[in-house]
Amino acid sequence: MKSLTHPKNLFLSACAIAVLALPIASKAQTVNMTADVTVLNTLTLAAVTQLNFGTVAAAPDPALQATMTINTDGTFVTAPAGVALIESVDGTAISEAQITIQDGADGATINININNVVDPVNAGLFFAIDSFTTSYNGGPDSLQVINTPFTETFDAAFGGGVNTLDIGATISTTVGGAAYNDGAYAGTYDVVFSY
């Protein structure tokens, strides 16, 4: 007996063989991952020492100003003018200001601004304070202008990650003002840090 295979059956058989010959794909698996970041723009700042001109004798002049300058290394210079004077009576408290800066990004530029300056005053009498100077990480002195930002670079290798900003300034007697009273003259200023 003769067996005949229908061409349609041959085609279906060929397709079945082709499907069986294909590799079987494994089931896809997905792992959901995260992408995290923590922002720390806040620097850790500490006032180590405050700017202090010590105890002085002071007198105004009708036309001239005497000055006393505290340098960033704590040394000081006085300059009388006419009868105006600021001279040290007791220099044991004389000090430059120092701020430490931590938790900065290595190599990042830090913006710094000295502002909100209030002259040292006592009962309406005052010394004008100006000519701020700064030294960053023991570097050279730079003259700063009040309310004019300047920049420094954070150095993670310096001081074990503790950078320093030393600050000096100059006080001047008033021109034609009244005689200075004995007592403490208190002034303030802000030092603002940001990236």
Side-chain angles (χ1 to χ4, degrees):
M1 183 173 205
K2 192 172 182 183
S3 159
L4 291 169
T5 306
H6 191 277
K8 183 177 178 184
N9 289 341
L10 285 175
F11 174 74
L12 290 175
S13 297
C15 287
I17 292 170
V19 168
L20 291 175
L22 290 176
I24 297 174
S26 62
K27 183 175 188 291
Q29 294 177 297
T30 302
V31 177
N32 184 262
M33 304 297 289
T34 62
D36 301 322
V37 60
T38 300
V39 174
L40 179 61
N41 284 336
T42 303
L43 298 165
T44 301
L45 307 172
V48 177
T49 56
Q50 298 288 348
L51 192 56
N52 194 319
F53 291 85
T55 302
V56 301
D61 182 271
L64 302 171
Q65 288 180 294
T67 61
M68 180 176 189
T69 300
I70 303 292
N71 298 310
T72 60
D73 62 0
T75 60
F76 69 95
V77 178
T78 61
V83 297
L85 66 88
I86 305 175
E87 294 294 340
S88 178
V89 173
D90 182 356
T92 55
I94 290 176
S95 175
E96 78 281 13
Q98 186 180 78
I99 299 169
T100 57
I101 307 101
Q102 298 182 68
D103 298 322
D106 189 34
T109 298
I110 298 175
N111 303 298
I112 306 171
N113 191 5
I114 297 173
N115 63 18
N116 295 329
V117 177
V118 176
D119 295 325
V121 64
N122 178 315
L125 300 172
F126 68 94
F127 294 92
I129 187 168
D130 202 349
S131 300
F132 285 87
T133 56
T134 60
S135 170
Y136 193 77
N137 289 345
D141 286 2
S142 297
L143 182 63
Q144 306 301 340
V145 177
I146 294 170
N147 207 29
T148 302
F150 59 99
T151 61
E152 299 292 352
T153 302
F154 189 83
D155 183 356
F158 181 87
V162 181
N163 287 203
T164 59
L165 181 71
D166 295 315
I167 303 170
T170 298
I171 55 171
S172 305
T173 57
T174 55
V175 174
Y180 285 97
N181 297 325
D182 289 352
Y185 289 69
T188 61
Y189 59 97
D190 292 335
V191 184
V192 181
F193 293 79
S194 65
Y195 285 113

